[in-house]
Amino acid sequence: MSVSRQEWVQELATLLNATRFKDYCPNGLQVEGRATVQHLVTGVTASEALIEAALAQGADALLVHHGFFWKGESPVITGPKKRRLSRLLAADVSLAAFHLPLDHHDTLGNNAQWAARLGWRKTHALFPHDPWAVGDVGVLPMAMTVADLCAQIERLTQRPVQWISGGAETPVTRVAWCTGAAQGFIEQAAEQGAQVYVSGEISEPTVHAAREWGMHYLAVGHHASERYGVQALGDWCAQRWGLQHTFIDIDNPV
Ligand SMILES: [Zn+2]
């Protein structure tokens, strides 16, 4: 089965409310390839390695969370950017990317998929007054020690968690999370009453914030925390149009 490129990108943009977000990159079709999509490859970041792997698999289109054309980057087409673009254009393979819309979606989004895989139940948004902000607050399925929580996450992601202790090591239930590089929301998580805040990356000030707010911080990996949304979206496309879907994970320790 297949779908026209146009219908494919339009329906995904509608599904993800893509026009509602103030984002750092264009959401939707970024590189136009062939007119129909039958084999869809998904991955976290449109790196050269992912593009090569997708072409080797005979993809018609590539769907990612981190695409091209980020705000503030140089607009010239040189070096790795030339190679990425020329490989896609020469092979007539489309690239579509959804950034914040894919973090945010209620069921298919990175945050929703992360929580679902760990059995966490969302109670409200990290920013309750902004319906388009990303990040969630909720509860674990049962009270557990932070050490056990780290072990559970490590079983899922197959990489070590960096745990900054917030002090007391009593079992926790209230958790806030935001996939990717959302360590800057740590104060918001504390203000929402979380005992643990989970995001992908960590910065120097994150350590002091965790200690001084008395809230545990877990850096679980930017890539590791954002593997699941694009997979769910690819599976959704496979169901919707009967496409062949292949998720390709290009390891990234960050
Ligand atoms: Zn990200």
Side-chain angles (χ1 to χ4, degrees), residues 16-94:
L16 299 175
N17 295 300
T19 57
R20 307 300 293 267
F21 295 84
K22 282 203 180 73
D23 212 333
Y24 314 98
C25 63
N27 285 301
L29 189 66
Q30 294 191 336
V31 178
E32 183 181 309
R34 59 193 65 143
T36 56
V37 179
Q38 189 263 318
H39 185 187
L40 175 66
V41 167
T42 59
V44 178
T45 300
S47 61
E48 196 176 4
L50 179 64
I51 290 167
E52 291 302 336
L55 298 190
Q57 297 259 343
D60 297 305
L62 180 57
L63 174 65
V64 298
H65 180 50
H66 302 137
F68 298 162
F69 315 122
W70 295 91
K71 224 171 248 177
E73 81 177 20
S74 166
V76 302
I77 312 294
T78 54
K81 200 185 204 176
K82 180 217 166 182
R83 292 200 299 276
R84 290 173 172 193
L85 272 167
S86 60
R87 289 292 281 149
L88 287 171
L89 291 169
D92 204 21
V93 168
S94 297

Side-chain angles (χ1 to χ4, degrees), residues 8 12 40-42 63 102 108 228-241 243-247:
W8 173 62
L12 290 188
L40 175 66
V41 167
T42 59
L63 174 65
L102 184 57
L108 303 173
Y228 307 107
V230 80
Q231 280 185 73
L233 190 59
D235 287 343
W236 187 91
C237 294
Q239 281 232 309
R240 171 72 181 83
W241 294 290
L243 306 184
Q244 181 188 350
H245 169 219
T246 310
F247 172 73

Side-chain angles (χ1 to χ4, degrees), residues 60-176:
D60 297 305
L62 180 57
L63 174 65
V64 298
H65 180 50
H66 302 137
F68 298 162
F69 315 122
W70 295 91
K71 224 171 248 177
E73 81 177 20
S74 166
V76 302
I77 312 294
T78 54
K81 200 185 204 176
K82 180 217 166 182
R83 292 200 299 276
R84 290 173 172 193
L85 272 167
S86 60
R87 289 292 281 149
L88 287 171
L89 291 169
D92 204 21
V93 168
S94 297
L95 173 69
F98 290 97
H99 182 235
L100 292 180
L102 184 57
D103 288 322
H104 185 272
H105 191 270
D106 270 357
T107 55
L108 303 173
N110 280 320
N111 286 293
Q113 287 288 319
W114 175 264
R117 277 172 166 75
L118 292 161
W120 302 354
R121 186 172 58 80
K122 175 180 173 177
T123 52
H124 59 284
L126 187 56
F127 294 89
H129 303 298
D130 180 354
W132 303 106
V134 293
D136 293 324
V137 183
V139 288
L140 306 179
M142 69 193 92
M144 61 174 88
T145 64
V146 181
D148 285 347
L149 180 61
C150 290
Q152 188 200 6
I153 292 171
E154 287 173 351
R155 280 195 299 276
L156 172 70
T157 60
Q158 297 296 307
R159 75 179 289 289
V161 168
Q162 190 170 6
W163 169 16
I164 306 302
S165 177
E169 307 229 337
T170 49
V172 292
T173 52
R174 295 192 309 279
V175 63

Side-chain angles (χ1 to χ4, degrees), residues 151-214:
Q152 188 200 6
I153 292 171
E154 287 173 351
R155 280 195 299 276
L156 172 70
T157 60
Q158 297 296 307
R159 75 179 289 289
V161 168
Q162 190 170 6
W163 169 16
I164 306 302
S165 177
E169 307 229 337
T170 49
V172 292
T173 52
R174 295 192 309 279
V175 63
W177 64 98
C178 190
T179 63
Q183 65 269 43
F185 297 164
I186 189 168
E187 232 173 80
Q188 182 67 18
E191 280 166 0
Q192 292 295 315
Q195 296 165 296
V196 189
Y197 179 49
V198 176
S199 187
E201 295 191 31
I202 186 162
S203 309
E204 194 272 350
T206 320
V207 176
H208 307 292
R211 289 175 181 163
E212 291 172 29
W213 282 95

